[in-house]
């Protein structure tokens, strides 16, 4: 079996939603402790709905594919749904990632959470801090 699924290869070679949103409502940037790679996510939010999302990464191919898929999964969705997105769900949507590449998909999940937290913080919206635990180190 090939190391990477066709979906991973597709999102890696043709990533969706790459770039920057100049007037973003929330921006999240996280680093991966394991490899030192960085991910940045920009969100445009209207009435609690993520109407646009873009990402930039200094990450590997799996990070690019994961972010591309993750942005597709949250675009047009309510914030509450985006907060529930796990890296496992992203990996499943990609038809799997090799075990040693699962940590790359964590970048996308954490950057989305961080961007939503930034949106809440910059817009004076109250939230339950328990929703945003410190990013894990593994
Ligand atoms: Fe760093 Fe994949 S090896 S994000």
């Amino acid at each position: 079996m090939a190391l990477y699924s066709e979906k991973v290869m597709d999102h890696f070679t043709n990533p969706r939603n790459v770039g920057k949103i100049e007037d973003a409502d929330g921006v999240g940037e996280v680093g991966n402790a394991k490899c030192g790679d960085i991910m940045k996510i920009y969100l445009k939010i209207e009435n609690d709905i993520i109407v646009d999302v873009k990402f930039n990464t200094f990450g590997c191919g799996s990070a690019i594919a994961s972010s591309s898929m993750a942005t597709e999964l949250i675009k047009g969705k309510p914030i509450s749904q985006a907060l529930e997105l796990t890296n496992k769900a992203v990996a499943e949507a990609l038809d799997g990632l090799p075990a040693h590449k699962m940590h790359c998909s964590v970048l996308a999940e954490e950057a989305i959470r961080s961007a939503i937290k930034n949106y809440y913080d910059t817009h004076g919206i109250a939230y339950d801090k328990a929703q945003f635990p410190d990013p894990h180190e593994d």
Side-chain angles (χ1 to χ4, degrees):
M1 196 188 104
L3 187 56
Y4 293 107
S5 72
E6 271 177 36
K7 275 194 192 161
V8 172
M9 292 311 292
D10 174 31
H11 280 263
F12 166 55
T13 52
N14 178 27
R16 288 35 154 205
N17 307 310
V18 175
K20 185 176 179 182
I21 299 176
E22 293 295 344
D23 57 344
D25 295 305
V27 180
E29 183 173 335
V30 294
N32 189 311
K34 250 188 190 162
C35 60
D37 290 338
I38 292 170
M39 169 80 59
K40 206 160 179 180
I41 293 258
Y42 302 83
L43 298 176
K44 195 80 199 140
I45 296 170
E46 275 168 29
N47 299 324
D48 257 15
I49 304 287
I50 296 170
V51 291
D52 199 10
V53 48
K54 295 252 187 291
F55 79 93
N56 262 321
T57 184
F58 289 103
C60 68
S62 297
I64 293 169
S66 302
S67 319
S68 169
M69 179 55 89
T71 54
E72 287 285 276
L73 290 172
I74 65 166
K75 204 174 189 174
K77 300 280 163 48
I79 293 176
S80 56
Q81 223 167 304
L83 279 172
E84 281 167 14
L85 183 73
T86 63
N87 75 303
K88 286 197 181 68
V90 173
E92 265 166 36
L94 287 168
D95 291 338
L97 280 171
H100 69 284
K101 284 288 178 184
M102 279 303 282
H103 74 273
C104 313
S105 61
V106 174
L107 267 185
E109 177 195 321
E110 286 182 349
I112 289 169
R113 300 182 77 81
S114 159
I116 293 172
K117 184 172 181 299
N118 174 254
Y119 165 68
Y120 286 158
D121 286 339
T122 55
H123 289 70
I125 298 168
Y127 57 89
D128 179 3
K129 294 214 164 35
Q131 280 182 299
F132 300 97
D134 283 340
H136 24 101
E137 294 286 295
D138 58 356

PDB file of all heavy atoms in Angstrom, residues 56-81:
ATOM      1  N   ASN A  56      -1.569  29.363   6.163  1.00  0.00           N
ATOM      2  CA  ASN A  56      -0.184  29.416   5.697  1.00  0.00           C
ATOM      3  C   ASN A  56       0.608  28.491   6.584  1.00  0.00           C
ATOM      4  O   ASN A  56       0.414  28.500   7.793  1.00  0.00           O
ATOM      5  CB  ASN A  56       0.385  30.823   5.907  1.00  0.00           C
ATOM      6  CG  ASN A  56       0.312  31.638   4.651  1.00  0.00           C
ATOM      7  OD1 ASN A  56       0.535  31.117   3.561  1.00  0.00           O
ATOM      8  ND2 ASN A  56      -0.002  32.912   4.796  1.00  0.00           N
ATOM      9  N   THR A  57       1.504  27.728   6.021  1.00  0.00           N
ATOM     10  CA  THR A  57       2.292  26.861   6.891  1.00  0.00           C
ATOM     11  C   THR A  57       3.732  26.721   6.426  1.00  0.00           C
ATOM     12  O   THR A  57       4.009  26.728   5.230  1.00  0.00           O
ATOM     13  CB  THR A  57       1.650  25.454   7.002  1.00  0.00           C
ATOM     14  OG1 THR A  57       2.397  24.682   7.925  1.00  0.00           O
ATOM     15  CG2 THR A  57       1.605  24.724   5.678  1.00  0.00           C
ATOM     16  N   PHE A  58       4.615  26.660   7.410  1.00  0.00           N
ATOM     17  CA  PHE A  58       5.971  26.174   7.164  1.00  0.00           C
ATOM     18  C   PHE A  58       5.963  24.759   7.697  1.00  0.00           C
ATOM     19  O   PHE A  58       6.580  24.459   8.703  1.00  0.00           O
ATOM     20  CB  PHE A  58       6.999  27.018   7.931  1.00  0.00           C
ATOM     21  CG  PHE A  58       7.165  28.393   7.381  1.00  0.00           C
ATOM     22  CD1 PHE A  58       6.587  29.481   8.009  1.00  0.00           C
ATOM     23  CD2 PHE A  58       7.895  28.597   6.217  1.00  0.00           C
ATOM     24  CE1 PHE A  58       6.732  30.761   7.500  1.00  0.00           C
ATOM     25  CE2 PHE A  58       8.036  29.874   5.700  1.00  0.00           C
ATOM     26  CZ  PHE A  58       7.460  30.962   6.344  1.00  0.00           C
ATOM     27  N   GLY A  59       5.201  23.928   7.059  1.00  0.00           N
ATOM     28  CA  GLY A  59       5.060  22.562   7.548  1.00  0.00           C
ATOM     29  C   GLY A  59       5.325  21.586   6.428  1.00  0.00           C
ATOM     30  O   GLY A  59       5.490  21.972   5.270  1.00  0.00           O
ATOM     31  N   CYS A  60       5.327  20.333   6.777  1.00  0.00           N
ATOM     32  CA  CYS A  60       5.597  19.279   5.799  1.00  0.00           C
ATOM     33  C   CYS A  60       4.357  19.018   4.929  1.00  0.00           C
ATOM     34  O   CYS A  60       3.298  19.615   5.133  1.00  0.00           O
ATOM     35  CB  CYS A  60       5.995  18.009   6.527  1.00  0.00           C
ATOM     36  SG  CYS A  60       4.601  17.328   7.436  1.00  0.00           S
ATOM     37  N   GLY A  61       4.473  18.081   4.026  1.00  0.00           N
ATOM     38  CA  GLY A  61       3.366  17.736   3.137  1.00  0.00           C
ATOM     39  C   GLY A  61       2.126  17.293   3.888  1.00  0.00           C
ATOM     40  O   GLY A  61       1.000  17.651   3.523  1.00  0.00           O
ATOM     41  N   SER A  62       2.309  16.535   4.947  1.00  0.00           N
ATOM     42  CA  SER A  62       1.155  16.076   5.731  1.00  0.00           C
ATOM     43  C   SER A  62       0.478  17.240   6.429  1.00  0.00           C
ATOM     44  O   SER A  62      -0.753  17.264   6.578  1.00  0.00           O
ATOM     45  CB  SER A  62       1.592  15.058   6.787  1.00  0.00           C
ATOM     46  OG  SER A  62       2.120  13.921   6.166  1.00  0.00           O
ATOM     47  N   ALA A  63       1.262  18.218   6.863  1.00  0.00           N
ATOM     48  CA  ALA A  63       0.677  19.406   7.502  1.00  0.00           C
ATOM     49  C   ALA A  63      -0.114  20.204   6.472  1.00  0.00           C
ATOM     50  O   ALA A  63      -1.203  20.713   6.770  1.00  0.00           O
ATOM     51  CB  ALA A  63       1.773  20.266   8.118  1.00  0.00           C
ATOM     52  N   ILE A  64       0.415  20.313   5.270  1.00  0.00           N
ATOM     53  CA  ILE A  64      -0.291  21.040   4.209  1.00  0.00           C
ATOM     54  C   ILE A  64      -1.603  20.329   3.878  1.00  0.00           C
ATOM     55  O   ILE A  64      -2.670  20.951   3.827  1.00  0.00           O
ATOM     56  CB  ILE A  64       0.603  21.149   2.948  1.00  0.00           C
ATOM     57  CG1 ILE A  64       1.806  22.053   3.246  1.00  0.00           C
ATOM     58  CG2 ILE A  64      -0.200  21.679   1.752  1.00  0.00           C
ATOM     59  CD1 ILE A  64       2.887  22.029   2.179  1.00  0.00           C
ATOM     60  N   ALA A  65      -1.537  19.009   3.686  1.00  0.00           N
ATOM     61  CA  ALA A  65      -2.746  18.251   3.351  1.00  0.00           C
ATOM     62  C   ALA A  65      -3.761  18.328   4.487  1.00  0.00           C
ATOM     63  O   ALA A  65      -4.962  18.508   4.254  1.00  0.00           O
ATOM     64  CB  ALA A  65      -2.382  16.793   3.060  1.00  0.00           C
ATOM     65  N   SER A  66      -3.294  18.229   5.731  1.00  0.00           N
ATOM     66  CA  SER A  66      -4.209  18.281   6.884  1.00  0.00           C
ATOM     67  C   SER A  66      -4.882  19.638   6.983  1.00  0.00           C
ATOM     68  O   SER A  66      -6.081  19.727   7.247  1.00  0.00           O
ATOM     69  CB  SER A  66      -3.453  18.051   8.201  1.00  0.00           C
ATOM     70  OG  SER A  66      -2.797  16.837   8.190  1.00  0.00           O
ATOM     71  N   SER A  67      -4.102  20.709   6.783  1.00  0.00           N
ATOM     72  CA  SER A  67      -4.684  22.047   6.895  1.00  0.00           C
ATOM     73  C   SER A  67      -5.671  22.295   5.791  1.00  0.00           C
ATOM     74  O   SER A  67      -6.733  22.891   6.002  1.00  0.00           O
ATOM     75  CB  SER A  67      -3.600  23.114   6.815  1.00  0.00           C
ATOM     76  OG  SER A  67      -2.499  22.712   7.532  1.00  0.00           O
ATOM     77  N   SER A  68      -5.316  21.857   4.594  1.00  0.00           N
ATOM     78  CA  SER A  68      -6.213  22.018   3.460  1.00  0.00           C
ATOM     79  C   SER A  68      -7.542  21.323   3.747  1.00  0.00           C
ATOM     80  O   SER A  68      -8.619  21.917   3.586  1.00  0.00           O
ATOM     81  CB  SER A  68      -5.541  21.429   2.212  1.00  0.00           C
ATOM     82  OG  SER A  68      -6.465  21.341   1.156  1.00  0.00           O
ATOM     83  N   MET A  69      -7.472  20.086   4.208  1.00  0.00           N
ATOM     84  CA  MET A  69      -8.698  19.347   4.525  1.00  0.00           C
ATOM     85  C   MET A  69      -9.441  19.997   5.687  1.00  0.00           C
ATOM     86  O   MET A  69     -10.662  20.158   5.652  1.00  0.00           O
ATOM     87  CB  MET A  69      -8.353  17.891   4.863  1.00  0.00           C
ATOM     88  CG  MET A  69      -9.536  17.034   5.222  1.00  0.00           C
ATOM     89  SD  MET A  69     -10.854  17.014   3.962  1.00  0.00           S
ATOM     90  CE  MET A  69     -10.340  15.650   2.907  1.00  0.00           C
ATOM     91  N   ALA A  70      -8.702  20.408   6.716  1.00  0.00           N
ATOM     92  CA  ALA A  70      -9.349  21.011   7.896  1.00  0.00           C
ATOM     93  C   ALA A  70     -10.093  22.289   7.513  1.00  0.00           C
ATOM     94  O   ALA A  70     -11.217  22.523   7.965  1.00  0.00           O
ATOM     95  CB  ALA A  70      -8.306  21.309   8.973  1.00  0.00           C
ATOM     96  N   THR A  71      -9.490  23.111   6.646  1.00  0.00           N
ATOM     97  CA  THR A  71     -10.163  24.354   6.259  1.00  0.00           C
ATOM     98  C   THR A  71     -11.440  24.031   5.478  1.00  0.00           C
ATOM     99  O   THR A  71     -12.456  24.702   5.631  1.00  0.00           O
ATOM    100  CB  THR A  71      -9.249  25.267   5.408  1.00  0.00           C
ATOM    101  OG1 THR A  71      -8.749  24.541   4.289  1.00  0.00           O
ATOM    102  CG2 THR A  71      -8.100  25.813   6.227  1.00  0.00           C
ATOM    103  N   GLU A  72     -11.374  22.993   4.644  1.00  0.00           N
ATOM    104  CA  GLU A  72     -12.570  22.598   3.900  1.00  0.00           C
ATOM    105  C   GLU A  72     -13.672  22.128   4.848  1.00  0.00           C
ATOM    106  O   GLU A  72     -14.856  22.363   4.609  1.00  0.00           O
ATOM    107  CB  GLU A  72     -12.227  21.465   2.922  1.00  0.00           C
ATOM    108  CG  GLU A  72     -11.415  21.907   1.718  1.00  0.00           C
ATOM    109  CD  GLU A  72     -12.254  22.666   0.703  1.00  0.00           C
ATOM    110  OE1 GLU A  72     -12.901  22.024  -0.129  1.00  0.00           O
ATOM    111  OE2 GLU A  72     -12.255  23.918   0.765  1.00  0.00           O
ATOM    112  N   LEU A  73     -13.258  21.457   5.926  1.00  0.00           N
ATOM    113  CA  LEU A  73     -14.243  20.895   6.860  1.00  0.00           C
ATOM    114  C   LEU A  73     -14.925  21.966   7.718  1.00  0.00           C
ATOM    115  O   LEU A  73     -16.040  21.760   8.195  1.00  0.00           O
ATOM    116  CB  LEU A  73     -13.579  19.853   7.780  1.00  0.00           C
ATOM    117  CG  LEU A  73     -13.168  18.539   7.104  1.00  0.00           C
ATOM    118  CD1 LEU A  73     -12.342  17.680   8.061  1.00  0.00           C
ATOM    119  CD2 LEU A  73     -14.374  17.756   6.617  1.00  0.00           C
ATOM    120  N   ILE A  74     -14.255  23.109   7.933  1.00  0.00           N
ATOM    121  CA  ILE A  74     -14.877  24.123   8.809  1.00  0.00           C
ATOM    122  C   ILE A  74     -15.486  25.290   8.036  1.00  0.00           C
ATOM    123  O   ILE A  74     -16.225  26.073   8.598  1.00  0.00           O
ATOM    124  CB  ILE A  74     -13.882  24.675   9.868  1.00  0.00           C
ATOM    125  CG1 ILE A  74     -12.740  25.444   9.202  1.00  0.00           C
ATOM    126  CG2 ILE A  74     -13.354  23.554  10.767  1.00  0.00           C
ATOM    127  CD1 ILE A  74     -11.946  26.288  10.206  1.00  0.00           C
ATOM    128  N   LYS A  75     -15.180  25.402   6.774  1.00  0.00           N
ATOM    129  CA  LYS A  75     -15.705  26.530   5.979  1.00  0.00           C
ATOM    130  C   LYS A  75     -17.223  26.441   5.885  1.00  0.00           C
ATOM    131  O   LYS A  75     -17.768  25.391   5.533  1.00  0.00           O
ATOM    132  CB  LYS A  75     -15.087  26.485   4.583  1.00  0.00           C
ATOM    133  CG  LYS A  75     -15.066  27.812   3.888  1.00  0.00           C
ATOM    134  CD  LYS A  75     -14.303  27.683   2.589  1.00  0.00           C
ATOM    135  CE  LYS A  75     -14.064  29.000   1.945  1.00  0.00           C
ATOM    136  NZ  LYS A  75     -13.220  28.872   0.771  1.00  0.00           N
ATOM    137  N   GLY A  76     -17.888  27.555   6.236  1.00  0.00           N
ATOM    138  CA  GLY A  76     -19.355  27.584   6.167  1.00  0.00           C
ATOM    139  C   GLY A  76     -20.023  26.971   7.389  1.00  0.00           C
ATOM    140  O   GLY A  76     -21.245  26.874   7.440  1.00  0.00           O
ATOM    141  N   LYS A  77     -19.206  26.548   8.355  1.00  0.00           N
ATOM    142  CA  LYS A  77     -19.756  25.864   9.540  1.00  0.00           C
ATOM    143  C   LYS A  77     -19.774  26.815  10.742  1.00  0.00           C
ATOM    144  O   LYS A  77     -19.006  27.776  10.813  1.00  0.00           O
ATOM    145  CB  LYS A  77     -18.884  24.645   9.879  1.00  0.00           C
ATOM    146  CG  LYS A  77     -18.798  23.623   8.788  1.00  0.00           C
ATOM    147  CD  LYS A  77     -20.026  22.744   8.798  1.00  0.00           C
ATOM    148  CE  LYS A  77     -20.219  21.961   7.513  1.00  0.00           C
ATOM    149  NZ  LYS A  77     -19.071  21.258   7.003  1.00  0.00           N
ATOM    150  N   PRO A  78     -20.653  26.518  11.717  1.00  0.00           N
ATOM    151  CA  PRO A  78     -20.659  27.326  12.939  1.00  0.00           C
ATOM    152  C   PRO A  78     -19.362  27.129  13.736  1.00  0.00           C
ATOM    153  O   PRO A  78     -18.728  26.071  13.633  1.00  0.00           O
ATOM    154  CB  PRO A  78     -21.848  26.776  13.739  1.00  0.00           C
ATOM    155  CG  PRO A  78     -22.489  25.738  12.921  1.00  0.00           C
ATOM    156  CD  PRO A  78     -21.662  25.473  11.717  1.00  0.00           C
ATOM    157  N   ILE A  79     -19.009  28.134  14.523  1.00  0.00           N
ATOM    158  CA  ILE A  79     -17.805  28.045  15.348  1.00  0.00           C
ATOM    159  C   ILE A  79     -17.840  26.797  16.227  1.00  0.00           C
ATOM    160  O   ILE A  79     -16.835  26.106  16.382  1.00  0.00           O
ATOM    161  CB  ILE A  79     -17.678  29.299  16.244  1.00  0.00           C
ATOM    162  CG1 ILE A  79     -17.409  30.526  15.372  1.00  0.00           C
ATOM    163  CG2 ILE A  79     -16.574  29.132  17.269  1.00  0.00           C
ATOM    164  CD1 ILE A  79     -17.370  31.830  16.135  1.00  0.00           C
ATOM    165  N   SER A  80     -19.005  26.517  16.801  1.00  0.00           N
ATOM    166  CA  SER A  80     -19.109  25.370  17.716  1.00  0.00           C
ATOM    167  C   SER A  80     -18.666  24.083  17.027  1.00  0.00           C
ATOM    168  O   SER A  80     -18.006  23.234  17.619  1.00  0.00           O
ATOM    169  CB  SER A  80     -20.553  25.225  18.208  1.00  0.00           C
ATOM    170  OG  SER A  80     -21.423  25.108  17.108  1.00  0.00           O
ATOM    171  N   GLN A  81     -18.983  23.954  15.755  1.00  0.00           N
ATOM    172  CA  GLN A  81     -18.603  22.751  15.026  1.00  0.00           C
ATOM    173  C   GLN A  81     -17.090  22.729  14.758  1.00  0.00           C
ATOM    174  O   GLN A  81     -16.454  21.684  14.840  1.00  0.00           O
ATOM    175  CB  GLN A  81     -19.355  22.697  13.700  1.00  0.00           C
ATOM    176  CG  GLN A  81     -19.895  21.313  13.391  1.00  0.00           C
ATOM    177  CD  GLN A  81     -20.899  21.387  12.252  1.00  0.00           C
ATOM    178  OE1 GLN A  81     -21.882  22.131  12.328  1.00  0.00           O
ATOM    179  NE2 GLN A  81     -20.660  20.651  11.204  1.00  0.00           N
TER     180      GLN A  81
END
